[in-house]
Amino acid sequence: MKTSRSRELFSRAQRYIPGGVNSPVRAWKSVGVFPRFVVRGAGAYIFDADDNRYIDFVGSWGPLILGHRHPRVTGAIQKALAGGTTFGAPTESEVEIAELVRRHVRSIEKLRLVSSGTEATMTAVRLARAFTGRSKILKFDGCYHGHSDGMLVRAGSGVATFSLPDSPGIPPGFVANTLVAPFNDILAVDSRFKQEPETIAGIIVEPVCGNMGVIPPEPDFLPALRELTRRYGAVLIFDEVITGFRLALGGAQNVYQVEPDLTCLGKVVGGGLPLAGFGGKKEIMDMLAPDGPVYQAGTLSGNPLAVAAGLATLKQLAKGRAYSELEQKGKRLQEGLETVLRKYGIHAVMNRVGSMMTLFFGTERVRNADDARRCDRERFVRFFHGMLNSGIYWPPSPFEAAFVSLAHSNNDLDKTIKAFEDWARKESKG
Ligand code: PLP
C-alpha cells in the first residue's frame, strides 16, 4: 500500500500544527505510525491522499450515521448555503430542529444549540450547579465529557478522595469540585451521596460509555442513578453526545427507559457539521440567559448550515427502519468477528450496543475503566495494522468505539470479517 503522500503531508503538518493534527487522536500515536490524510469520503468509504480506499468504521468519531456525503445531507447544506453562511440572528430552522428534538427526546422540554459537545456538557454542568446552588459534580472514571477544565478528570486509584486533573494547565482547585466514581458501581455513588448529601449538584454520565471503549450500563445502573439523584435533590445529566440519535431517535434514555433532567447532544445531531446542544427540564433550562442569570452564548451557535445538515440527518433517521437496520448490521459484524475469534482461539471480548462497538483483546468482561485498561494493547496495535493493510479503517485506539453506519453494506461487513480472519490466522501462528 502506497502511503508516501500521507507521510509527506504529515511532516509538513508537524511544522505549523502542534503534533500535526487539530485533535490529538488523529495523530495515531497509540498505533505508532503517521496518520492517513483523507481526501474524500463516499458512503461507507474514505479515500486517502495516496488514493487508497478504506471501509470506514470511524465515521468522523460518530456523527456520520448515514455515511459520507449522504445526498439528503449535502443537498440540505447546499440549499442553506444559497441563503448565507451565518447571520447571528434567529432562523426558522433552529425552531424546527428544537421541535424535532423535543418530539423524539421526551425529556428535552427546551433545547439550546451550541457548536461542540464540550460546550454542551460544560454548560449543562453550570446549569446543574446554578439550579441546585451546590458545587460538586460526580462523573465516572473513563467517561469523557469534552475538554473543559472541570471535566478533564479521569482519576486513578486515589479517586474516592481526590480528583486530579488529567492535563497540566488545570489548577487542582479547578477540579476540586469534580468527584469520580467507577462506572457501573452504584455502591460507590451511594456512598458519595451519603458522605456529602447536600453538596453534590449533579451526576454526569455517558449512559452507554463510548470513551473507554464501549461499555454498556448494567441493568440497574441508570435507574439507580435516577433514584439517587432524585432522593438527594441532584440533577441527572446524560451526556448523549455519542448515543443521542445513534442508539435510537430517543437516544440511550429511550433504550434504557430512564429520564435524565438534562441531556447533552452532539455528533449525529449535526449530521457531520459543528452542531451540538443541551436541553431538558423547563425549570432548569429557563435559568439560561436571556431569561435567567446563567450565562452562555456562541457566535456560531445554531449555524444555518450545521442545523440544515442536522435536520436532514434526523429526518432521514426518522424514516423507515434505520435503527433495526443498524442493529442488524452491528450484529452481523459482531457475530462474524466472534466466530473468527473462536476459530483461531484468540482471547477477546466484544462490547456492542447497536451500531457502536469495541473489541477488547486479552480479557473476558469489561464493565468499567479498570477492566478496559487491562486489555492487551500490543495485540490491538497488530490488529489495527492488519486491518488497515486490508483496507479497513478501524479507530486507532483500543479505547474508542467503532461505528457502523447505514451506508455499510453486508458486503462491506463481510469483507471486514474476511480481513479480520486473514489477520487472526497469522496472529494465531505467532
Ligand atoms: N461527550 C462525549 C460523550 C464525547 O464523546 C465527546 C467527544 O468525543 C464530547 C462530549 C465532546 O464533544 P466535542 O468533541 O464535540 O467537543
Side-chain angles (χ1 to χ4, degrees):
M1 185 179 277
K2 191 173 155 261
T3 56
S4 53
R5 183 87 183 112
S6 279
R7 183 195 293 271
E8 193 184 302
L9 284 169
F10 193 51
S11 68
R12 240 176 88 196
Q14 282 170 304
R15 245 180 281 156
Y16 300 115
I17 302 173
V21 290
N22 284 309
S23 195
V25 280
R26 296 182 197 169
W28 287 18
K29 277 203 155 176
S30 60
V31 290
V33 283
F34 57 90
R36 304 295 191 259
F37 274 62
V38 179
V39 173
R40 68 184 195 282
Y45 311 115
I46 51 172
F47 299 81
D48 73 11
D50 294 280
D51 217 22
N52 300 304
R53 189 187 87 162
Y54 306 88
I55 302 176
D56 178 20
F57 290 98
V58 176
S60 191
W61 306 91
L64 297 180
I65 197 163
L66 303 178
H68 294 269
R69 278 198 287 140
H70 189 283
R72 296 256 174 208
V73 179
T74 52
I77 297 170
Q78 272 156 3
K79 197 165 160 220
L81 180 60
T85 54
T86 177
F87 311 113
T91 56
E92 184 173 347
S93 62
E94 291 163 86
V95 185
E96 202 188 332
I97 201 166
E99 288 168 348
L100 193 68
V101 169
R102 162 69 184 146
R103 206 174 311 137
H104 295 302
V105 190
R106 295 308 296 171
S107 71
I108 298 187
E109 293 172 351
K110 287 198 172 177
L111 174 76
R112 171 72 50 97
L113 295 177
V114 289
S115 303
S116 71
T118 297
E119 285 174 85
T121 52
M122 183 179 81
T123 319
V125 164
R126 184 177 300 158
L127 269 178
R129 287 179 165 139
F131 184 72
T132 56
R134 301 173 180 177
S135 303
K136 297 199 172 168
I137 292 290
L138 191 142
K139 75 175 284 290
F140 294 93
D141 184 10
C143 283
Y144 175 68
H145 304 293
H147 63 277
S148 69
D149 287 343
M151 287 293 99
L152 219 48
V153 184
R154 184 213 302 155
S157 52
V159 164
T161 345
F162 300 111
S163 299
L164 301 173
D166 272 347
S167 163
I170 302 178
F174 281 31
V175 296
N177 286 312
T178 309
L179 308 173
V180 185
F183 193 73
N184 272 328
D185 186 345
I186 203 63
L187 290 179
V189 180
D190 187 43
S191 85
R192 287 319 297 231
F193 270 116
K194 282 192 178 123
Q195 282 163 24
E196 329 195 33
E198 283 170 18
T199 58
I200 301 178
I203 292 182
I204 185 164
V205 63
E206 290 180 71
V208 172
C209 190
N211 281 293
M212 46 187 154
V214 171
I215 304 188
E218 290 183 343
D220 58 346
F221 183 58
L222 300 175
L225 293 183
R226 178 66 284 181
E227 204 277 312
L228 281 173
T229 42
R230 246 187 217 131
R231 191 188 317 156
Y232 288 95
V235 174
L236 181 60
I237 307 169
F238 275 6
D239 179 350
E240 297 226 40
V241 165
I242 292 181
T243 54
F245 299 103
R246 157 75 49 193
L247 299 184
L249 283 172
Q253 55 195 270
N254 180 255
V255 173
Y256 295 95
Q257 291 291 302
V258 175
E259 249 193 31
D261 301 304
L262 292 176
T263 300
C264 303
L265 298 170
K267 302 203 189 252
V268 173
V269 82
L273 262 64
L275 187 79
F278 58 97
K281 289 217 169 87
K282 240 190 262 167
E283 66 262 37
I284 306 180
M285 293 301 290
D286 283 342
M287 291 193 74
L288 275 179
D291 284 353
V294 178
Y295 197 69
Q296 178 277 331
T299 302
L300 292 178
S301 290
N303 172 267
L305 303 188
V307 171
L311 267 174
T313 301
L314 302 192
K315 286 181 185 168
Q316 190 64 23
L317 288 169
K319 277 188 204 158
R321 305 173 52 253
Y323 294 96
S324 53
E325 220 178 284
L326 285 164
E327 166 61 26
Q328 173 252 315
K329 288 176 197 289
K331 188 161 179 263
R332 185 185 187 99
L333 184 56
Q334 175 175 15
E335 288 176 354
L337 299 182
E338 285 177 345
T339 303
V340 171
L341 289 171
R342 277 192 301 275
K343 182 166 169 190
Y344 293 94
I346 292 178
H347 187 201
V349 66
M350 173 165 269
N351 280 2
R352 176 181 73 85
V353 181
S355 56
M356 53 193 281
M357 65 190 77
T358 299
L359 197 49
F360 293 99
F361 288 104
T363 182
E364 270 113 58
R365 192 168 86 123
V366 178
R367 59 183 289 275
N368 59 34
D370 279 343
D371 292 345
R373 286 183 201 116
R374 276 193 283 272
C375 73
D376 184 342
R377 299 176 199 203
E378 284 167 18
R379 180 165 265 179
F380 174 84
V381 173
R382 295 195 296 275
F383 153 79
F384 173 82
H385 287 291
M387 299 300 270
L388 188 71
N389 290 333
S390 301
I392 312 294
Y393 192 87
W394 200 260
S397 155
F399 307 114
E400 294 287 351
F403 296 106
V404 173
S405 75
L406 285 165
H408 287 98
S409 65
N410 284 343
N411 191 31
D412 295 325
L413 301 175
D414 293 346
K415 273 194 194 153
T416 306
I417 296 162
K418 164 81 172 53
F420 186 59
E421 175 151 19
D422 292 344
W423 169 76
R425 190 181 309 111
K426 281 188 216 134
E427 180 75 6
S428 66
K429 286 183 190 144

